[in-house]
Amino acid sequence: MLGDRNIRGMIEKALDRLHDDLNIKIDKKNPDRIHALEATLCTRLSYYERKDPIPEDNASKISILLGHGIRNALSNINAEYKIDSLTLDTNADMLMGEEFVVRFEIVPELPLVPHPRHLLYLNACLFALHKDEGILIYLTADGRSVEYSVTRNNRMFEEIVRRARVLSTLLKDNKVPIIEPSDLCMKCKYYSRCYSREKTKETTDLLQDIFGKLSPK
Ligand code: SF4
C-alpha cells in the first residue's frame, strides 16, 4: 500500500486492461467463427476458453503481453478463410515483399525443429492470405533466433479445417471435447479438470518399498 492506494491492485487492473486490448480478438459468441489459433491448440482447452474460462494468472498475462507487444510493433495482418458456413480467422505478423507471410514465436529456448502447432497456424495464414511461402521465426528474450521456411500445404490445411469444424460442432452442442494428452497439458490451467492427482505416500518411502521388493534376499 502507498498511502491509502493499493498499488498492486492498480498494477493488476492496468495489466488486465492492456491484456484485453492486446489479446487477439476472438469472436467467442459465434461458433461458426473459429480462430486458427484455437484450432491448433488442444480442442478441449479452446472449448473451455470460450465456455468456462479460468482467468490468466499475472505471469501468463505478462508473457502474453510481451508476445503481443512484439506483434503490435509489426503489421499484424488479419485475414479470414471461408469454408461453407465456417470462417477461419488468422493473424499473421508481417508480409515481406508482398510475397512471404511471416510469423514470430517467442520461446524460452530455440527448437531443433518447428513445432507442428506453429506450422499448422502459419499454413492457415498462407491460405487466408493467398500466399505460397511463409517464414516461421523463433525468438528468445535474449535475442537469439532461428528461421524455418514453410510452403503452402493442402494436407495441413485440411487438418486445421477438420479441427476447427470439430470445435465448432462441440461448441454448438455444448459437449466438452475429449482430453488430448500432450506437452501442453503440463502447464495448462485446466490440468485439474482433465486429470485427477492423488497424493501418494512420500516418494522416498514408495521407492524404498518398490526397490526393497526387488533387492536379492
Ligand atoms: S490439460 Fe491437456 S487435455 Fe486438458 S485442456 Fe489442457 S491441454 Fe487440453
Side-chain angles (χ1 to χ4, degrees):
M1 295 282 252
L2 195 65
D4 58 355
R5 286 174 299 174
N6 177 353
I7 296 296
R8 176 162 284 275
M10 285 162 71
I11 292 172
E12 282 179 5
K13 273 196 192 137
L15 265 180
D16 285 347
R17 254 197 323 275
L18 277 172
H19 178 256
D20 290 347
D21 288 352
L22 278 179
N23 216 352
I24 285 182
K25 297 283 180 263
I26 293 179
D27 185 356
K28 294 193 174 176
K29 296 269 180 293
N30 183 357
D32 284 322
R33 260 197 123 84
I34 301 291
H35 198 283
L37 274 180
E38 295 179 286
T40 58
L41 287 170
C42 162
T43 311
R44 188 169 168 113
L45 188 159
S46 298
Y47 179 94
Y48 281 145
E49 283 288 278
R50 284 200 183 208
K51 292 278 189 183
D52 186 16
I54 296 176
E56 303 289 351
D57 59 22
N58 280 347
S60 314
K61 274 184 206 156
I62 290 168
S63 123
I64 292 168
L65 281 176
L66 290 176
H68 285 299
I70 289 181
R71 297 226 148 86
N72 265 27
L74 304 163
S75 15
N76 197 3
I77 307 150
N78 306 327
E80 60 178 40
Y81 193 99
K82 284 194 182 296
I83 321 108
D84 312 324
S85 59
L86 181 75
T87 304
L88 194 65
D89 284 317
T90 63
N91 292 78
D93 290 330
M94 247 175 138
L95 207 50
M96 250 170 40
E98 287 302 308
E99 204 178 338
F100 298 103
V101 179
V102 181
R103 172 79 182 171
F104 288 90
E105 296 293 346
I106 316 298
V107 287
E109 285 304 324
L110 297 179
L112 293 176
V113 290
H115 197 292
R117 198 164 61 239
H118 300 151
L119 292 176
L120 280 179
Y121 183 78
L122 178 53
N123 189 54
C125 294
L126 292 180
F127 277 79
L129 288 162
H130 307 288
K131 302 291 175 195
D132 292 324
E133 303 282 342
I135 303 172
L136 177 57
I137 304 177
Y138 286 98
L139 281 178
T140 61
D142 60 1
R144 287 173 295 135
S145 65
V146 63
E147 303 87 41
Y148 296 96
S149 64
V150 175
T151 307
R152 188 175 148 112
N153 181 292
N154 285 331
R155 280 244 175 115
M156 280 204 293
F157 189 61
E158 281 162 18
E159 176 58 19
I160 200 167
V161 170
R162 185 192 67 76
R163 293 182 61 83
R165 275 197 206 286
V166 169
L167 176 59
S168 168
T169 306
L170 294 174
L171 285 167
K172 285 180 196 166
D173 295 349
N174 286 316
K175 283 194 182 146
V176 179
I178 56 166
I179 291 168
E180 293 179 25
S182 76
D183 59 331
L184 261 183
C185 300
M186 301 308 288
K187 289 188 178 164
C188 179
K189 59 186 176 180
Y190 301 107
Y191 187 101
S192 59
R193 291 189 190 173
C194 301
Y195 306 104
S196 69
R197 272 175 298 181
E198 297 282 327
K199 259 214 158 186
T200 180
K201 293 165 68 184
E202 285 295 316
T203 316
T204 43
D205 288 353
L206 186 65
L207 287 177
Q208 267 165 12
D209 284 356
I210 294 168
F211 287 108
K213 281 190 187 118
L214 290 177
S215 57
K217 301 255 155 53

